[in-house]
mmCIF file of all heavy atoms in Angstrom:
data_model
loop_
_atom_site.group_PDB
_atom_site.id
_atom_site.type_symbol
_atom_site.label_atom_id
_atom_site.label_comp_id
_atom_site.label_asym_id
_atom_site.label_seq_id
_atom_site.Cartn_x
_atom_site.Cartn_y
_atom_site.Cartn_z
ATOM 1 N N ILE B 75 -39.580 11.439 -51.199
ATOM 2 C CA ILE B 75 -40.060 12.642 -50.493
ATOM 3 C C ILE B 75 -39.267 13.868 -50.948
ATOM 4 O O ILE B 75 -39.818 14.940 -51.147
ATOM 5 C CB ILE B 75 -39.947 12.466 -48.962
ATOM 6 C CG1 ILE B 75 -40.748 11.238 -48.523
ATOM 7 C CG2 ILE B 75 -40.447 13.699 -48.242
ATOM 8 C CD1 ILE B 75 -40.519 10.840 -47.078
ATOM 9 N N ILE B 76 -37.962 13.673 -51.151
ATOM 10 C CA ILE B 76 -37.116 14.794 -51.573
ATOM 11 C C ILE B 76 -37.690 15.451 -52.830
ATOM 12 O O ILE B 76 -37.761 16.672 -52.941
ATOM 13 C CB ILE B 76 -35.677 14.316 -51.846
ATOM 14 C CG1 ILE B 76 -34.981 13.963 -50.538
ATOM 15 C CG2 ILE B 76 -34.882 15.393 -52.583
ATOM 16 C CD1 ILE B 76 -33.589 13.420 -50.710
ATOM 17 N N LEU B 77 -38.123 14.617 -53.769
ATOM 18 C CA LEU B 77 -38.572 15.143 -55.060
ATOM 19 C C LEU B 77 -39.726 16.131 -54.921
ATOM 20 O O LEU B 77 -39.876 17.024 -55.745
ATOM 21 C CB LEU B 77 -38.980 13.994 -55.986
ATOM 22 C CG LEU B 77 -37.820 13.111 -56.442
ATOM 23 C CD1 LEU B 77 -38.332 11.972 -57.300
ATOM 24 C CD2 LEU B 77 -36.781 13.928 -57.206
ATOM 25 N N THR B 78 -40.537 15.988 -53.887
ATOM 26 C CA THR B 78 -41.684 16.881 -53.753
ATOM 27 C C THR B 78 -41.518 17.875 -52.606
ATOM 28 O O THR B 78 -42.475 18.538 -52.214
ATOM 29 C CB THR B 78 -42.973 16.065 -53.490
ATOM 30 O OG1 THR B 78 -42.761 15.281 -52.316
ATOM 31 C CG2 THR B 78 -43.297 15.149 -54.649
ATOM 32 N N ASP B 79 -40.293 17.974 -52.071
ATOM 33 C CA ASP B 79 -40.060 18.845 -50.919
ATOM 34 C C ASP B 79 -39.682 20.247 -51.400
ATOM 35 O O ASP B 79 -38.590 20.475 -51.891
ATOM 36 C CB ASP B 79 -38.935 18.236 -50.064
ATOM 37 C CG ASP B 79 -38.595 19.097 -48.871
ATOM 38 O OD1 ASP B 79 -39.128 20.222 -48.767
ATOM 39 O OD2 ASP B 79 -37.792 18.645 -48.042
ATOM 40 N N LYS B 80 -40.619 21.188 -51.233
ATOM 41 C CA LYS B 80 -40.401 22.547 -51.732
ATOM 42 C C LYS B 80 -39.171 23.195 -51.078
ATOM 43 O O LYS B 80 -38.370 23.840 -51.726
ATOM 44 C CB LYS B 80 -41.642 23.384 -51.447
ATOM 45 C CG LYS B 80 -41.517 24.833 -51.867
ATOM 46 C CD LYS B 80 -42.718 25.645 -51.418
ATOM 47 C CE LYS B 80 -42.539 27.123 -51.741
ATOM 48 N NZ LYS B 80 -41.419 27.739 -51.042
ATOM 49 N N TYR B 81 -39.021 22.990 -49.750
ATOM 50 C CA TYR B 81 -37.919 23.641 -49.047
ATOM 51 C C TYR B 81 -36.585 23.115 -49.527
ATOM 52 O O TYR B 81 -35.601 23.851 -49.604
ATOM 53 C CB TYR B 81 -38.066 23.444 -47.533
ATOM 54 C CG TYR B 81 -39.306 24.088 -46.999
ATOM 55 C CD1 TYR B 81 -40.413 23.343 -46.621
ATOM 56 C CD2 TYR B 81 -39.377 25.484 -46.913
ATOM 57 C CE1 TYR B 81 -41.559 23.953 -46.159
ATOM 58 C CE2 TYR B 81 -40.524 26.096 -46.452
ATOM 59 C CZ TYR B 81 -41.610 25.332 -46.083
ATOM 60 O OH TYR B 81 -42.731 25.952 -45.629
ATOM 61 N N PHE B 82 -36.559 21.822 -49.875
ATOM 62 C CA PHE B 82 -35.321 21.272 -50.417
ATOM 63 C C PHE B 82 -34.967 21.956 -51.731
ATOM 64 O O PHE B 82 -33.847 22.407 -51.928
ATOM 65 C CB PHE B 82 -35.438 19.763 -50.637
ATOM 66 C CG PHE B 82 -34.308 19.193 -51.442
ATOM 67 C CD1 PHE B 82 -33.051 19.044 -50.877
ATOM 68 C CD2 PHE B 82 -34.484 18.842 -52.778
ATOM 69 C CE1 PHE B 82 -32.008 18.548 -51.623
ATOM 70 C CE2 PHE B 82 -33.436 18.354 -53.533
ATOM 71 C CZ PHE B 82 -32.195 18.199 -52.951
ATOM 72 N N TRP B 83 -35.956 22.091 -52.632
ATOM 73 C CA TRP B 83 -35.646 22.684 -53.939
ATOM 74 C C TRP B 83 -35.297 24.150 -53.812
ATOM 75 O O TRP B 83 -34.455 24.658 -54.559
ATOM 76 C CB TRP B 83 -36.792 22.445 -54.918
ATOM 77 C CG TRP B 83 -36.865 20.992 -55.279
ATOM 78 C CD1 TRP B 83 -37.801 20.084 -54.880
ATOM 79 C CD2 TRP B 83 -35.903 20.257 -56.061
ATOM 80 N NE1 TRP B 83 -37.491 18.839 -55.373
ATOM 81 C CE2 TRP B 83 -36.341 18.910 -56.093
ATOM 82 C CE3 TRP B 83 -34.729 20.613 -56.721
ATOM 83 C CZ2 TRP B 83 -35.636 17.910 -56.772
ATOM 84 C CZ3 TRP B 83 -34.029 19.616 -57.400
ATOM 85 C CH2 TRP B 83 -34.486 18.287 -57.419
ATOM 86 N N ASP B 84 -35.934 24.856 -52.850
ATOM 87 C CA ASP B 84 -35.519 26.237 -52.596
ATOM 88 C C ASP B 84 -34.056 26.291 -52.202
ATOM 89 O O ASP B 84 -33.288 27.143 -52.667
ATOM 90 C CB ASP B 84 -36.360 26.849 -51.460
ATOM 91 C CG ASP B 84 -37.755 27.229 -51.920
ATOM 92 O OD1 ASP B 84 -37.997 27.160 -53.143
ATOM 93 O OD2 ASP B 84 -38.589 27.569 -51.069
ATOM 94 N N SER B 85 -33.646 25.356 -51.325
ATOM 95 C CA SER B 85 -32.257 25.389 -50.869
ATOM 96 C C SER B 85 -31.304 25.018 -52.007
ATOM 97 O O SER B 85 -30.198 25.553 -52.090
ATOM 98 C CB SER B 85 -32.063 24.473 -49.659
ATOM 99 O OG SER B 85 -32.098 23.122 -50.032
ATOM 100 N N VAL B 86 -31.740 24.130 -52.905
ATOM 101 C CA VAL B 86 -30.894 23.811 -54.069
ATOM 102 C C VAL B 86 -30.716 25.053 -54.929
ATOM 103 O O VAL B 86 -29.604 25.411 -55.332
ATOM 104 C CB VAL B 86 -31.521 22.679 -54.915
ATOM 105 C CG1 VAL B 86 -30.777 22.515 -56.230
ATOM 106 C CG2 VAL B 86 -31.523 21.376 -54.144
ATOM 107 N N TRP B 87 -31.826 25.740 -55.177
ATOM 108 C CA TRP B 87 -31.792 26.930 -56.020
ATOM 109 C C TRP B 87 -30.853 27.981 -55.416
ATOM 110 O O TRP B 87 -30.029 28.580 -56.115
ATOM 111 C CB TRP B 87 -33.237 27.450 -56.170
ATOM 112 C CG TRP B 87 -33.401 28.697 -56.973
ATOM 113 C CD1 TRP B 87 -34.011 29.837 -56.561
ATOM 114 C CD2 TRP B 87 -32.984 28.923 -58.329
ATOM 115 N NE1 TRP B 87 -33.991 30.765 -57.569
ATOM 116 C CE2 TRP B 87 -33.358 30.238 -58.659
ATOM 117 C CE3 TRP B 87 -32.314 28.148 -59.278
ATOM 118 C CZ2 TRP B 87 -33.092 30.797 -59.911
ATOM 119 C CZ3 TRP B 87 -32.047 28.704 -60.527
ATOM 120 C CH2 TRP B 87 -32.437 30.014 -60.836
ATOM 121 N N ASN B 88 -30.963 28.205 -54.091
ATOM 122 C CA ASN B 88 -30.078 29.174 -53.434
ATOM 123 C C ASN B 88 -28.618 28.738 -53.506
ATOM 124 O O ASN B 88 -27.724 29.548 -53.774
ATOM 125 C CB ASN B 88 -30.471 29.347 -51.967
ATOM 126 C CG ASN B 88 -31.775 30.090 -51.811
ATOM 127 O OD1 ASN B 88 -32.156 30.886 -52.671
ATOM 128 N ND2 ASN B 88 -32.486 29.812 -50.728
ATOM 129 N N THR B 89 -28.380 27.449 -53.270
ATOM 130 C CA THR B 89 -27.001 26.961 -53.298
ATOM 131 C C THR B 89 -26.390 27.195 -54.672
ATOM 132 O O THR B 89 -25.264 27.705 -54.785
ATOM 133 C CB THR B 89 -26.963 25.447 -52.993
ATOM 134 O OG1 THR B 89 -27.725 25.189 -51.827
ATOM 135 C CG2 THR B 89 -25.547 24.986 -52.784
ATOM 136 N N VAL B 90 -27.134 26.826 -55.709
ATOM 137 C CA VAL B 90 -26.588 26.975 -57.064
ATOM 138 C C VAL B 90 -26.408 28.453 -57.393
ATOM 139 O O VAL B 90 -25.366 28.863 -57.912
ATOM 140 C CB VAL B 90 -27.503 26.279 -58.092
ATOM 141 C CG1 VAL B 90 -27.034 26.570 -59.502
ATOM 142 C CG2 VAL B 90 -27.531 24.792 -57.852
ATOM 143 N N GLY B 91 -27.410 29.261 -57.061
ATOM 144 C CA GLY B 91 -27.317 30.686 -57.369
ATOM 145 C C GLY B 91 -26.086 31.323 -56.730
ATOM 146 O O GLY B 91 -25.279 31.965 -57.410
ATOM 147 N N ILE B 92 -25.930 31.124 -55.423
ATOM 148 C CA ILE B 92 -24.795 31.718 -54.709
ATOM 149 C C ILE B 92 -23.488 31.167 -55.259
ATOM 150 O O ILE B 92 -22.537 31.907 -55.513
ATOM 151 C CB ILE B 92 -24.915 31.443 -53.191
ATOM 152 C CG1 ILE B 92 -26.121 32.181 -52.620
ATOM 153 C CG2 ILE B 92 -23.648 31.867 -52.470
ATOM 154 C CD1 ILE B 92 -26.522 31.746 -51.228
ATOM 155 N N SER B 93 -23.451 29.835 -55.489
ATOM 156 C CA SER B 93 -22.191 29.230 -55.930
ATOM 157 C C SER B 93 -21.781 29.687 -57.319
ATOM 158 O O SER B 93 -20.588 29.838 -57.587
ATOM 159 C CB SER B 93 -22.299 27.710 -55.935
ATOM 160 O OG SER B 93 -22.640 27.252 -54.668
ATOM 161 N N VAL B 94 -22.755 29.902 -58.195
ATOM 162 C CA VAL B 94 -22.393 30.311 -59.556
ATOM 163 C C VAL B 94 -21.772 31.707 -59.536
ATOM 164 O O VAL B 94 -20.742 31.955 -60.172
ATOM 165 C CB VAL B 94 -23.614 30.237 -60.501
ATOM 166 C CG1 VAL B 94 -23.341 30.989 -61.798
ATOM 167 C CG2 VAL B 94 -23.947 28.786 -60.804
ATOM 168 N N ILE B 95 -22.360 32.622 -58.756
ATOM 169 C CA ILE B 95 -21.764 33.966 -58.660
ATOM 170 C C ILE B 95 -20.374 33.871 -58.034
ATOM 171 O O ILE B 95 -19.391 34.430 -58.526
ATOM 172 C CB ILE B 95 -22.635 34.909 -57.800
ATOM 173 C CG1 ILE B 95 -24.092 34.890 -58.278
ATOM 174 C CG2 ILE B 95 -22.091 36.323 -57.853
ATOM 175 C CD1 ILE B 95 -25.023 35.702 -57.400
ATOM 176 N N LYS B 96 -20.304 33.113 -56.932
ATOM 177 C CA LYS B 96 -19.047 32.919 -56.222
ATOM 178 C C LYS B 96 -17.980 32.351 -57.154
ATOM 179 O O LYS B 96 -16.843 32.810 -57.208
ATOM 180 C CB LYS B 96 -19.317 31.897 -55.115
ATOM 181 C CG LYS B 96 -18.596 32.118 -53.826
ATOM 182 C CD LYS B 96 -18.903 30.947 -52.896
ATOM 183 C CE LYS B 96 -19.760 31.358 -51.742
ATOM 184 N NZ LYS B 96 -19.946 30.285 -50.745
ATOM 185 N N LEU B 97 -18.385 31.324 -57.909
ATOM 186 C CA LEU B 97 -17.434 30.608 -58.751
ATOM 187 C C LEU B 97 -16.931 31.504 -59.880
ATOM 188 O O LEU B 97 -15.728 31.570 -60.137
ATOM 189 C CB LEU B 97 -18.106 29.367 -59.316
ATOM 190 C CG LEU B 97 -17.221 28.283 -59.912
ATOM 191 C CD1 LEU B 97 -17.886 26.939 -59.678
ATOM 192 C CD2 LEU B 97 -16.996 28.473 -61.385
ATOM 193 N N SER B 98 -17.855 32.231 -60.540
ATOM 194 C CA SER B 98 -17.391 33.010 -61.690
ATOM 195 C C SER B 98 -16.461 34.131 -61.247
ATOM 196 O O SER B 98 -15.400 34.338 -61.839
ATOM 197 C CB SER B 98 -18.562 33.533 -62.512
ATOM 198 O OG SER B 98 -19.667 33.789 -61.708
ATOM 199 N N LEU B 99 -16.824 34.857 -60.167
ATOM 200 C CA LEU B 99 -15.944 35.929 -59.695
ATOM 201 C C LEU B 99 -14.704 35.367 -59.010
ATOM 202 O O LEU B 99 -13.587 35.802 -59.271
ATOM 203 C CB LEU B 99 -16.691 36.826 -58.706
ATOM 204 C CG LEU B 99 -17.761 37.733 -59.272
ATOM 205 C CD1 LEU B 99 -18.492 38.417 -58.136
ATOM 206 C CD2 LEU B 99 -17.124 38.757 -60.186
ATOM 207 N N GLY B 100 -14.932 34.411 -58.147
ATOM 208 C CA GLY B 100 -13.844 33.866 -57.335
ATOM 209 C C GLY B 100 -12.848 33.075 -58.154
ATOM 210 O O GLY B 100 -11.774 32.716 -57.677
ATOM 211 N N PHE B 101 -13.204 32.783 -59.391
ATOM 212 C CA PHE B 101 -12.304 32.050 -60.251
ATOM 213 C C PHE B 101 -11.454 33.020 -61.073
ATOM 214 O O PHE B 101 -10.243 32.833 -61.226
ATOM 215 C CB PHE B 101 -13.138 31.152 -61.168
ATOM 216 C CG PHE B 101 -12.371 30.465 -62.223
ATOM 217 C CD1 PHE B 101 -11.445 29.496 -61.898
ATOM 218 C CD2 PHE B 101 -12.577 30.792 -63.553
ATOM 219 C CE1 PHE B 101 -10.726 28.871 -62.880
ATOM 220 C CE2 PHE B 101 -11.855 30.162 -64.533
ATOM 221 C CZ PHE B 101 -10.928 29.205 -64.206
ATOM 222 N N ILE B 102 -12.081 34.087 -61.563
ATOM 223 C CA ILE B 102 -11.362 35.014 -62.446
ATOM 224 C C ILE B 102 -10.487 35.980 -61.651
ATOM 225 O O ILE B 102 -9.338 36.237 -62.007
ATOM 226 C CB ILE B 102 -12.371 35.801 -63.305
ATOM 227 C CG1 ILE B 102 -13.067 34.827 -64.266
ATOM 228 C CG2 ILE B 102 -11.685 36.912 -64.088
ATOM 229 C CD1 ILE B 102 -14.278 35.409 -64.934
ATOM 230 N N LEU B 103 -11.029 36.484 -60.539
ATOM 231 C CA LEU B 103 -10.323 37.531 -59.802
ATOM 232 C C LEU B 103 -8.911 37.126 -59.352
ATOM 233 O O LEU B 103 -7.971 37.908 -59.519
ATOM 234 C CB LEU B 103 -11.177 37.992 -58.619
ATOM 235 C CG LEU B 103 -10.785 39.344 -58.031
ATOM 236 C CD1 LEU B 103 -10.901 40.446 -59.062
ATOM 237 C CD2 LEU B 103 -11.654 39.670 -56.826
ATOM 238 N N PRO B 104 -8.716 35.927 -58.789
ATOM 239 C CA PRO B 104 -7.354 35.557 -58.381
ATOM 240 C C PRO B 104 -6.363 35.505 -59.547
ATOM 241 O O PRO B 104 -5.198 35.879 -59.390
ATOM 242 C CB PRO B 104 -7.531 34.160 -57.766
ATOM 243 C CG PRO B 104 -8.929 34.133 -57.311
ATOM 244 C CD PRO B 104 -9.690 34.939 -58.329
ATOM 245 N N ILE B 105 -6.829 35.079 -60.725
ATOM 246 C CA ILE B 105 -5.935 35.043 -61.885
ATOM 247 C C ILE B 105 -5.500 36.463 -62.232
ATOM 248 O O ILE B 105 -4.313 36.762 -62.399
ATOM 249 C CB ILE B 105 -6.641 34.391 -63.100
ATOM 250 C CG1 ILE B 105 -7.080 32.968 -62.755
ATOM 251 C CG2 ILE B 105 -5.741 34.393 -64.314
ATOM 252 C CD1 ILE B 105 -7.947 32.330 -63.816
ATOM 253 N N LEU B 106 -6.506 37.353 -62.293
ATOM 254 C CA LEU B 106 -6.249 38.749 -62.613
ATOM 255 C C LEU B 106 -5.289 39.379 -61.600
ATOM 256 O O LEU B 106 -4.286 40.004 -61.953
ATOM 257 C CB LEU B 106 -7.593 39.483 -62.580
ATOM 258 C CG LEU B 106 -7.739 40.739 -63.393
ATOM 259 C CD1 LEU B 106 -7.693 40.395 -64.869
ATOM 260 C CD2 LEU B 106 -9.071 41.419 -63.065
ATOM 261 N N LEU B 107 -5.586 39.157 -60.317
ATOM 262 C CA LEU B 107 -4.759 39.721 -59.246
ATOM 263 C C LEU B 107 -3.338 39.188 -59.307
ATOM 264 O O LEU B 107 -2.376 39.943 -59.154
ATOM 265 C CB LEU B 107 -5.347 39.320 -57.894
ATOM 266 C CG LEU B 107 -6.241 40.295 -57.166
ATOM 267 C CD1 LEU B 107 -6.714 39.652 -55.876
ATOM 268 C CD2 LEU B 107 -5.455 41.563 -56.863
ATOM 269 N N ALA B 108 -3.212 37.872 -59.557
ATOM 270 C CA ALA B 108 -1.880 37.283 -59.586
ATOM 271 C C ALA B 108 -1.060 37.890 -60.712
ATOM 272 O O ALA B 108 0.113 38.230 -60.526
ATOM 273 C CB ALA B 108 -1.985 35.766 -59.760
ATOM 274 N N VAL B 109 -1.678 38.061 -61.898
ATOM 275 C CA VAL B 109 -0.959 38.666 -63.020
ATOM 276 C C VAL B 109 -0.546 40.082 -62.660
ATOM 277 O O VAL B 109 0.587 40.510 -62.904
ATOM 278 C CB VAL B 109 -1.826 38.644 -64.300
ATOM 279 C CG1 VAL B 109 -1.177 39.447 -65.399
ATOM 280 C CG2 VAL B 109 -2.069 37.217 -64.753
ATOM 281 N N MET B 110 -1.449 40.820 -62.016
ATOM 282 C CA MET B 110 -1.132 42.205 -61.647
ATOM 283 C C MET B 110 0.010 42.259 -60.639
ATOM 284 O O MET B 110 0.926 43.077 -60.765
ATOM 285 C CB MET B 110 -2.377 42.884 -61.072
ATOM 286 C CG MET B 110 -3.422 43.194 -62.126
ATOM 287 S SD MET B 110 -5.015 43.628 -61.398
ATOM 288 C CE MET B 110 -4.642 45.235 -60.708
#
Side-chain angles (χ1 to χ4, degrees):
Chain B
I75 302 170
I76 289 177
L77 292 177
T78 57
D79 178 353
K80 178 186 175 297
Y81 297 106
F82 168 74
W83 290 107
D84 284 352
S85 73
V86 170
W87 178 235
N88 289 333
T89 311
V90 173
I92 294 167
S93 302
V94 165
I95 309 175
K96 217 185 249 187
L97 196 148
S98 32
L99 288 174
F101 173 67
I102 293 167
L103 198 60
I105 301 172
L106 205 68
L107 263 179
V109 171
M110 288 167 71

